Structure formats: structure tokens, C-alpha cells
Amino acid sequence: MDVVELPAAAGAGPVSVTSPVPRDVWWRAARADDCALVTQTPAWLDAICATGPWTDAGRLYEFPDGVCAVLPLVRRRGLPGPLTVEDSWPSGWGIGGPLLPDGGLRPAQAAAVLGDLVTRPALRVGVRFGPDEAPVWGQALPAAFRAEAHYVQVVDLRGGFAAAWEHFRPRVKRDVRRAERSPVEVVADRTGRLVPVFYALWEKSVLRWAEQQHEPEALARFRQGRAFPLRRLEAVAERLGEACTVYLATCGGEPAAGAVVLRHGPHAKYWRGAMDRELANPVRANHLLQRLAIEDACAAGCRYYHMGDSRPGSSLAAFKASFGARGRQSMRYTRERLPVSAADRALRGAAKRLLRFHDA
């Protein structure tokens, strides 16, 4: 564990930085911050490090007035400092960003945190903020950072399930009632027992998406196997325990649809969904799973049900909106010493055009 003193920043004074962040401090911060998501907890970091080439690089910022900020962060292993990457979080791992005390940080303190990240000896440093990001971060953003907006969708549960149900679209309500009358059975597992069953449905979904996107099956299996391998789901289920629920809908004893929902504090997160379309669609199994997951989140005292990133105008965004999920902005800020992200986007775009690939 390293402790360093940053030079006094204008208006913030000298800043003490501890890395990695002591676990007891991190957990206290995660429990005290009402905006904290499950993806900002030490358990999430452990799952990242257990399934990829990453190591804990989190930073605890302590200011002279007693205010502290915890920034979850990982560093890519096996690369020299000037070529490594530091992220909060890596692609596919969702929202990171700092955990803050009540009232957040003053502009000078936010500027001190971002100024520290500018000087990190890494090729790239990235931070993904949640939809509750305070304006102070964007206002304090150094010119070295590039801003990228993401579109996330969240269901407000503060009125309880009865109020959430009223925001379901009429068609969704009909589909839920249809599913309730059908021979669909749903199990909610919090032990990890159904992880392999869900993942088998996920693999079927990968092939369906490949067909929709005009993507060769072999490429789809390879790409999705790297982006979301079975060991990732196993690691999350193991480390979150009862905070990770695998919902499985069966029809005639056969798995039809599944959903993975995570919880932390007042936030529930719909993390992954998959289905066997031929079994799930006729009985509207996916609609029933979402209805039950939202009801369970309300019963657990959650105030928000996060349905994740979507592309505006996509069928996925429309599906989430039908349950009352509203679009919100989630910013990612990235500092690069070389334009590697732009080069990567150009290569991916060229490959998609060659394959006539289009996002489903």
C-alpha cells in the first residue's frame, strides 16, 4: 500500500492519496453513498481481477477538511507503465466512478482528483460515472480528457411496486398477464446453482444476435466468449452471494428465459438477460421475469432498478422503456497519451463494413 502527498491544489490544499484503498474504508464509503451501485463495491473489483488481466489500483483521496473520496480503479497487468491502462471500469464491466460523502466534493477537490488522473503514468486512464454524477465533475474536467456520453435506462421504484406497475405500457401488462396464465414456472436462485443453465441460454442468444447482426457464428462465439465468459458470471455470483439473483423461467421443464439481477443498497441492476426465443416468446417469459424482478427489488427496499446501457432508438431501448425505464446520461471521461481509442474505433468500423455488420 502506497501513501503519497499531492502538491497543494488551488482551493483544495494538500491531498493525501492511498493506493490501493483499504477494504474497510471502501466498504464504509460504498454503504454511506446512496448513489453507490453494486459495480462500485470491492466485491465487483474482486470479480474483475479474478477473470481478467487486472490488478487493484484504487485511490483514496483525503483532503485537509476531512473529506474523503474513494475511486475504484484497476490497472492492466503485464505491461510497462507507459503502455498500461487504468480504468474505472474496463469495457464490459459497467459503471465505476468515485464514492463520495454527503454533499459531494467542492469544485477545487474534484479538480484535484481529475488532475491526479491526468498525471498517472499510463497510456490511458478512464472513469465511467453513473447517472447521478454531480455537475462539478464536468465543470472541473481538464482539457486532456475526452468526454463520451452513454445512454442508460432506470426505473424509479420510490412509489413501490403498485406505482411502478402503473408505468408499465398497456401491452406489457397484457403480456405479463398472459405469461401468468401460461404454463411458465419461474425460479429465483441466489446460490449460483442456475449459473450454468443461464449461460447455456446466453449462448443461444449469442447465435440469435449474430444472425440479426449479419455476423458469422464463429466470430460471434469468439467475440462474446471474450466479452462475457462463463467464469465472469461465476465470479460475480460467488462474490456477491445473495446479492446476485438468477431468475429462470421454464416452459414444459425446458429453460425458456433467464435474467441476472444484482443489488446493493437502494439500487437493483438488471445485468444480463437471455432466452430461447422459440420457447420464451409465445408465453412472454421475458416480460414475466422483469415484472418479478422489479417486484422483488421493491420488496427489498430498492428505490431504483437499473436496466443498463442501450442505444437510443434500438429495440432494446424500447423494451426497457416499456417497463417505465427512463433514459439518463452516464458520462465516461478518458485521457490518452496516444489516440489508441480512435484507432480501435476505426479498425472496428472497417471490419463491420466488410462484414456488412449492423447493430441489432
Side-chain angles (χ1 to χ4, degrees):
M1 184 179 297
D2 296 326
V3 181
V4 299
E5 295 289 334
L6 299 182
V15 186
S16 174
V17 182
T18 303
S19 182
V21 181
R23 286 303 176 91
D24 59 332
V25 175
W26 187 347
W27 273 117
R28 283 200 301 271
R31 292 177 179 125
D33 188 343
D34 273 353
C35 296
L37 306 176
V38 67
T39 55
Q40 293 172 281
T41 66
W44 197 253
L45 167 102
D46 289 341
I48 294 174
C49 294
T51 58
W54 303 98
T55 188
D56 185 2
R59 297 176 76 75
L60 167 65
Y61 297 89
E62 298 177 274
F63 296 92
D65 59 2
V67 170
C68 296
V70 172
L71 177 64
L73 195 70
V74 289
R75 181 184 301 112
R76 179 71 181 255
R77 293 195 305 264
L79 293 173
L83 296 179
T84 195
V85 171
E86 294 185 348
D87 255 321
S88 179
W89 295 116
S91 177
W93 283 101
I95 290 168
L99 299 166
L100 305 171
D102 287 343
L105 299 185
R106 292 185 287 108
Q109 293 170 331
V113 172
L114 293 171
D116 172 54
L117 297 181
V118 167
T119 64
R120 294 297 300 152
L123 179 64
R124 186 184 76 223
V125 178
V127 181
R128 170 78 185 273
F129 284 78
D132 295 310
E133 172 201 356
V136 67
W137 294 102
Q139 295 164 1
L141 195 68
F145 278 87
R146 175 176 59 86
E148 179 185 6
H150 293 257
Y151 178 76
V152 301
Q153 289 172 274
V154 183
V155 180
D156 190 332
L157 306 180
R158 286 176 292 181
F161 180 71
W165 173 261
E166 289 306 310
H167 289 98
F168 286 20
R169 300 276 171 81
R171 176 181 53 79
V172 170
K173 292 180 181 180
R174 290 195 299 270
D175 285 341
V176 168
R177 295 188 181 106
R178 176 176 172 178
E180 290 172 336
R181 293 192 300 269
S182 73
V184 175
E185 296 183 359
V186 177
V187 176
D189 171 55
R190 296 179 177 86
T191 69
R193 176 179 59 88
L194 292 179
V195 162
V197 182
F198 174 87
Y199 198 79
L201 281 172
W202 175 266
E203 291 178 313
K204 288 185 177 181
S205 295
V206 166
L207 298 182
R208 185 179 76 255
W209 298 329
E211 181 181 355
Q212 294 172 345
Q213 295 172 159
H214 199 266
E215 181 179 13
E217 285 190 8
L219 176 59
R221 290 181 186 273
F222 172 77
R223 191 170 62 87
Q224 291 292 347
R226 285 173 59 87
F228 186 59
L230 173 59
R231 68 180 183 278
R232 180 178 297 192
L233 179 54
E234 291 173 333
V236 168
E238 177 184 349
R239 285 157 178 81
L240 294 186
E242 292 190 354
C244 173
T245 304
V246 178
Y247 292 89
L248 182 69
T250 60
C251 189
E254 294 295 320
V260 181
V261 178
L262 316 175
R263 287 207 313 266
H264 173 76
H267 302 273
K269 175 180 175 59
Y270 168 49
W271 187 41
R272 289 288 189 275
M275 69 172 175
D276 181 325
R277 183 169 54 185
E278 292 183 358
L279 290 175
N281 276 357
V283 294
R284 302 300 190 264
N286 273 324
H287 295 81
L288 180 59
L289 288 182
Q290 290 300 322
R291 185 255 191 218
L292 294 174
I294 290 172
E295 186 175 26
D296 283 353
C298 291
C302 294
R303 300 197 293 272
Y304 303 97
Y305 183 74
H306 297 253
M307 300 191 78
D309 291 9
S310 308
R311 181 169 52 84
S314 67
S315 59
L316 180 60
F319 173 77
K320 295 173 182 178
S322 69
F323 290 91
R326 295 192 175 184
R328 299 170 66 182
Q329 186 171 267
S330 167
M331 297 301 298
R332 180 177 181 84
Y333 301 124
T334 307
R335 188 275 292 154
E336 293 183 321
R337 300 196 186 281
L338 295 172
V340 290
S341 293
D344 180 69
R345 287 194 299 271
L347 288 172
R348 290 175 184 271
K352 286 184 176 182
R353 289 191 294 273
L354 182 64
L355 294 169
R356 293 185 291 121
F357 179 100
H358 62 86
D359 294 311

